[in-house]
């Protein structure tokens, strides 16, 4: 054996200070809760908001009036609904002795972990509120099947003989007939997108242009919607147990109308509105803020992420839900 060996020259391996490997999802674009519908910053944890009656706005009341005749009178009704921003928190203590004895930035790593936890929780809450059966009663939901579709069913898009292009056209039109606007967005997940990009009907539209490959932009152009793709994963196993991973956003699709330029006085419907309590510790529209404070025994610094928001279906007739789009 030649001397000195590698271990003699470098007896102790140390942590790199400019590289680390982890599984944070916050930087991957997987979290989509803040992209869905309208995010409304609010100054109070709870309050009311007005709802104008659709039937009154859509009823034609204007009449032909002769000279000298009085103008007919009309009006419209208003109701109200409420929101309540629930609070979510999580904290971790970063010990001074660990910081002093570590080769990595523990405070930065802890902040990344807490933010990732906040975004994961937000996606889980929003998904449970809007991405499930029985939520969108304004338009009858559709269920994907592998056999011959019946009433309120469609053939799953990874099954032979399915017609996703027609299904998208029908879904967009269904939203228009109920809220007055074609569905502009489709909230879904990567298993659904992957099935669509290799579907024979869709590939056939581009096979002589791109050699058969279909990009997300081409898919959006063909199907007439902007995709919101939820890609965040969740581990449902207990700590130290074997990981049990699943897609938070499942294998479904929600077609919804999103106002392209919402304003405080907008009179157009919004399928989903997330009320974010921005005055609570100066949180931004994402609904999360980091706070820190000292701890004296043991010596260290507490880091806490907190969020206060309420995701509401504000127009049940501005979206239609397609359940189990792929197997």
């Amino acid at each position: 054996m030649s001397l000195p060996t590698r271990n003699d020259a470098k007896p102790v391996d140390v942590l790199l200070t400019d590289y680390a490997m982890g599984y944070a999802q916050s930087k991957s674009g997987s979290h989509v809760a803040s992209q869905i519908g309208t995010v409304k910053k609010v100054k109070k944890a709870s309050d009311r908001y007005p709802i104008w009656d659709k039937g009154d706005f859509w009823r034609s009341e204007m009449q032909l009036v002769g000279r000298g005749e009085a103008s007919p009178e009309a009006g419209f009704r208003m109701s109200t609904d409420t929101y309540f921003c629930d609070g979510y928190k999580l904290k971790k203590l970063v010990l001074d002795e660990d910081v002093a004895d570590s080769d990595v930035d523990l405070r930065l790593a802890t902040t990344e972990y807490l933010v990732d936890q906040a975004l994961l929780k937000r996606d889980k809450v929003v998904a449970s509120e809007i991405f499930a059966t029985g939520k969108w009663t304004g338009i009858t939901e559709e269920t994907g099947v592998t056999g011959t579709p019946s009433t309120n069913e469609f053939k799953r898009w990874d099954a032979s003989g399915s017609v996703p292009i027609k299904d998208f056209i029908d879904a967009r039109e269904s939203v228009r007939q109920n809220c007055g606007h074609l569905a502009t967005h489709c909230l879904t997940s990567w298993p659904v997108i992957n099935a669509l990009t290799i579907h024979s009907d869709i590939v056939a539209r581009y096979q002589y242009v791109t050699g058969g490959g279909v990009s997300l932009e081409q898919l959006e152009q063909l199907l007439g919607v902007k995709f919101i793709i939820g890609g965040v994963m969740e581990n449902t196993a207990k700590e130290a147990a074997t990981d049990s991973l699943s897609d938070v956003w499942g294998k479904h699709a929600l077609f919804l109308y999103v106002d392209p330029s919402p304003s405080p006085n907008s009179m157009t419907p919004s399928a989903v509105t997330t009320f974010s309590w921005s005055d609570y510790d100066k949180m931004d529209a994402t609904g999360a803020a980091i706070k820190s404070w000292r701890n004296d025994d043991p010596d260290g610094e507490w880091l806490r992420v907190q969020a206060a928001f309420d995701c509401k279906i504000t127009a049940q007739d501005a979206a239609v839900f397609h359940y189990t789009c792929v197997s």
Side-chain angles (χ1 to χ4, degrees):
M1 178 184 294
S2 59
L3 297 175
T5 66
R6 176 182 179 278
N7 287 336
D8 291 330
K10 184 184 178 184
V12 179
D13 289 333
V14 297
L15 284 173
L16 294 176
T17 58
D18 59 352
Y19 173 79
M21 197 284 292
Y23 289 91
Q25 299 185 88
S26 58
K27 295 180 180 179
S28 65
S30 300
H31 304 89
V32 295
S34 61
Q35 303 175 33
I36 304 166
T38 302
V39 177
K40 174 62 178 174
K41 294 182 180 181
V42 292
K43 295 182 177 296
K44 298 179 180 179
S46 62
D47 218 330
R48 298 189 301 166
Y49 59 90
I51 302 173
W52 307 110
D53 186 79
K54 178 175 69 175
D56 291 338
F57 269 77
W58 285 17
R59 187 180 303 108
S60 178
E61 300 279 15
M62 198 170 186
Q63 299 177 20
L64 177 65
V65 177
R67 291 185 181 183
E69 295 181 356
S71 302
E73 183 180 351
F76 50 90
R77 290 164 291 178
M78 184 195 79
S79 60
T80 61
D81 200 352
T82 61
Y83 70 85
F84 184 87
C85 295
D86 289 314
Y88 303 88
K89 298 180 181 180
L90 184 67
K91 66 181 179 181
K92 188 180 188 309
L93 179 63
V94 181
L95 295 175
D96 289 349
E97 56 194 284
D98 289 341
V99 171
D101 198 37
S102 177
D103 291 324
V104 299
D105 189 336
L106 289 180
R107 189 181 189 280
L108 179 62
T110 300
T111 300
E112 179 93 10
Y113 166 76
L114 292 174
V115 169
D116 207 60
Q117 283 289 306
L119 294 176
L120 172 60
K121 184 63 174 181
R122 186 181 177 95
D123 268 42
K124 280 173 53 63
V125 170
V126 172
S128 66
E129 179 61 32
I130 70 172
F131 219 57
T133 58
K135 297 288 187 178
W136 297 94
T137 57
I139 306 176
T140 303
E141 62 193 24
E142 302 283 333
T143 301
V145 296
T146 56
T148 302
S150 184
T151 304
N152 301 326
E153 294 180 342
F154 66 99
K155 199 155 194 178
R156 294 178 186 174
W157 299 328
D158 58 347
S160 176
S162 60
V163 287
I165 298 176
K166 182 181 183 303
D167 292 337
F168 270 70
I169 293 173
D170 291 345
R172 296 184 69 217
E173 175 61 12
S174 178
V175 172
R176 187 194 68 82
Q177 290 180 3
N178 284 273
C179 79
H181 303 271
L182 286 169
T184 56
H185 290 66
C186 177
L187 169 63
T188 189
S189 62
W190 281 113
V192 176
I193 292 294
N194 292 337
L196 290 171
T197 56
I198 61 173
H199 192 280
S200 58
D201 287 356
I202 294 174
V203 172
R205 300 295 183 100
Y206 295 98
Q207 62 182 341
Y208 299 114
V209 179
T210 62
V214 180
S215 67
L216 182 60
E217 291 75 16
Q218 290 169 331
L219 195 62
E220 291 179 331
Q221 183 180 27
L222 175 63
L223 300 178
V225 294
K226 178 71 175 178
F227 282 106
I228 304 171
I229 308 172
V232 67
M233 303 291 293
E234 179 189 15
N235 178 22
T236 57
K238 299 293 185 180
E239 185 176 354
T242 301
D243 290 346
S244 178
L245 306 179
S246 61
D247 273 295
V248 168
W249 294 98
K251 299 177 179 180
H252 321 303
L254 179 68
F255 297 86
L256 65 161
Y257 171 73
V258 175
D259 189 346
S261 54
S263 67
N265 298 316
S266 177
M267 299 294 282
T268 56
S270 179
V272 178
T273 301
T274 298
F275 298 92
S276 176
W277 189 10
S278 58
D279 273 23
Y280 179 58
D281 285 342
K282 303 185 184 301
M283 290 188 295
D284 61 19
T286 62
I290 291 285
K291 291 196 68 174
S292 64
W293 65 95
R294 290 294 304 171
N295 192 79
D296 293 331
D297 188 16
D299 292 337
E301 181 182 21
W302 280 107
L303 294 176
R304 183 178 73 200
V305 66
Q306 53 195 49
F309 61 90
D310 182 15
C311 177
K312 284 185 67 74
I313 294 175
T314 43
Q316 289 185 317
D317 51 8
V320 59
F321 186 60
H322 280 44
Y323 180 69
T324 315
C325 297
V326 297
S327 301

